[in-house]
Amino acid sequence: MDLGIDLGTANTVVSDYRRGILFDQPSVMVVRRSGSRRERVLAVGQDAADLLGRAPMSQFAAVRPLEDGVVTDLETTRLYLRAVLREAGRRVMSPVRAVIGVPAGSSPLEHRALLEAAAEAGIRPVTALDESIAGAVGCGLDPLERRVHLVVDVGGGTAEAVAFCFGGILTHRTIKLAGDEMTVAVLRYLRVEHQLHVGELEAEALKIRAASNGHGPLVVQGRDAATGRARLATVQSAEVAEAVRPISEEIVRTLAACLDDLPPQAIADVLAEGVLVFGGASRIHGLAEDLERGLGLPVKLAEQPLTCVADGAARALRNHRLLAAYGRR
Ligand SMILES: Nc1ncnc2c1ncn2[C@@H]1O[C@H](COP(=O)(O)OP(=O)(O)OP(=O)(O)O)[C@@H](O)[C@H]1O
Ligand SMILES: [Mg+2]
């Protein structure tokens, strides 16, 4: 199998060069910790996420393989990748080689850790590629051409802007502030303004519904802050937009600074072509407009904001010139 893997803070996507998306689920697994300290994976992805809200978690532990886009623990990542591969390739038993996306802001040590975990999980050979490059390829851009491209990825744990051309990264900015912080902002807003406690899953669902709902009212269920009883509240989409606004403004401010590093001709290229934007949180209401204003450049939203990195990584696997230029081993 020739796989492109986007191991994100929030979601893991695995794309096969020929078959397309094989796995697209939350980046979480539930493990049982036994006496010997060897962990056993009980559920991965959506199954694990579903368990979290239901099962008593005393004997189990929910484990996220990444924090803010980087590997925190080699053994955990190896276990996780193995479980994901098992799910992705249930019917096919063939050798696996892959390209894995890494954030531009990750250190050589961090991406070495990821490559090592992947090799130990049975993926050989494995190459790391900047997620921005992979996403660009997934959206049909050619990172080897002489023209400068600027892409922005707003994911769960991190937001990045990366400019590149002709096989090299020109500049990048990273901020560890993205969709997950927006969820927390919604959760806090409901507590303060509506005296309602909700879980992170409900807050995230509300955030996503508001993003696609324009300005209408939405109903959310939670617990009353005073009585602890379950109750419903009506929230306007505009309120949710207002709650996440400070976060998207901060993201835009940080990412826009990358323009300072670019020569005028590079900016002219991006002006002509537009800034490519992807990542789940790029869909938040108002973010594209804020970006357009902050950068002073036209913005183009990717058609597949959540899967273009994995798709592009799978395609990059067969593009030797591209991997020679941008790949990190
Ligand atoms: N339609 C939507 N509107 C707003 N936010 C969304 C939407 N869809 C997904 N999100 C948010 O996007 C984030 C996940 O995006 P994505 O899958 O690109 O992140 P990731 O790649 O896992 O994380 P990272 O790149 O930071 O490691 C989550 O915070 C999720 O709530
Ligand atoms: Mg991502």
Side-chain angles (χ1 to χ4, degrees):
M1 289 198 285
D2 281 351
L3 303 183
I5 302 177
D6 177 9
L7 183 51
T9 311
N11 296 300
T12 299
V13 186
V14 178
S15 175
D16 176 73
Y17 185 84
R18 282 185 298 136
R19 280 168 288 231
I21 303 296
L22 299 180
F23 185 93
D24 179 6
Q25 298 186 28
S27 297
V28 63
M29 64 180 173
V30 171
V31 298
R32 189 205 302 275
R33 295 187 193 280
S34 58
S36 64
R37 285 202 67 238
R38 286 215 98 173
E39 293 175 343
R40 215 162 73 81
V41 179
L42 297 178
V44 67
Q46 193 57 54
D47 288 347
D50 288 346
L51 252 178
L52 286 185
R54 297 190 169 86
M57 294 301 286
S58 52
Q59 312 126 29
F60 310 138
V63 184
R64 294 193 163 272
L66 293 192
E67 238 164 66
D68 294 333
V70 300
V71 168
T72 48
D73 176 68
L74 265 183
E75 172 65 9
T76 302
T77 309
R78 184 185 66 79
L79 270 178
Y80 179 74
L81 279 173
R82 207 171 254 170
V84 167
L85 284 183
R86 225 176 3 246
E87 286 292 310
R90 253 183 309 209
R91 288 173 303 275
V92 261
M93 292 300 292
S94 54
V96 176
R97 43 179 208 157
V99 165
I100 298 196
V102 290
S106 71
S107 71
L109 189 69
E110 286 161 349
H111 81 251
R112 283 280 352 144
L114 180 60
L115 290 179
E116 219 165 278
E120 281 175 22
I123 307 172
R124 291 194 195 99
V126 54
T127 310
L129 180 67
D130 283 302
E131 283 162 5
S132 55
I133 302 294
V137 172
C139 293
L141 300 187
D142 176 9
L144 290 174
E145 66 182 8
R146 222 172 295 269
R147 196 152 38 127
V148 175
H149 299 285
L150 178 61
V151 310
V152 168
D153 176 3
V154 191
T158 54
E160 288 196 314
V162 182
F164 53 86
C165 81
F166 205 50
I169 306 271
L170 301 179
T171 184
H172 74 88
R173 288 288 189 285
T174 304
I175 179 170
K176 291 187 189 307
L177 196 66
D180 295 347
E181 289 292 332
M182 295 177 187
T183 298
V184 172
V186 171
L187 197 134
R188 285 206 193 109
Y189 178 88
L190 292 174
R191 199 165 55 209
V192 173
E193 301 296 329
H194 290 267
Q195 288 73 50
L196 193 73
H197 285 296
V198 300
E200 277 201 23
L201 289 179
E202 287 79 18
E204 181 178 23
L206 178 71
K207 175 190 78 173
I208 292 177
R209 275 193 291 151
S212 51
N213 189 51
H215 294 284
L218 295 161
V219 175
V220 58
Q221 185 174 358
R223 273 186 305 110
D224 188 275
T227 66
R229 291 230 180 99
R231 75 167 162 90
L232 299 175
T234 306
V235 181
Q236 301 297 322
S237 299
E239 291 179 81
V240 178
E242 184 194 320
V244 301
R245 196 70 194 252
I247 311 230
S248 47
E249 279 174 355
E250 169 114 30
I251 290 172
V252 169
R253 221 182 353 263
T254 305
L255 300 190
C258 78
L259 293 183
D260 300 345
D261 306 341
L262 293 177
Q265 190 53 50
I267 297 193
D269 283 350
V270 185
L271 191 61
E273 143 129 356
V275 181
L276 174 66
V277 180
F278 53 82
S282 70
R283 290 310 198 242
I284 207 76
H285 201 76
L287 189 104
E289 292 80 358
D290 284 354
L291 254 182
E292 211 151 58
R293 221 172 304 120
L295 293 167
L297 295 166
V299 157
K300 276 194 313 199
L301 291 175
E303 270 167 40
Q304 304 293 338
L306 290 150
T307 53
C308 61
V309 171
D311 276 337
R315 269 188 241 168
L317 190 49
R318 298 209 180 171
N319 185 336
H320 299 295
R321 279 183 56 226
L322 186 97
L323 276 195
Y326 288 104
R328 304 206 229 161
R329 277 180 197 272

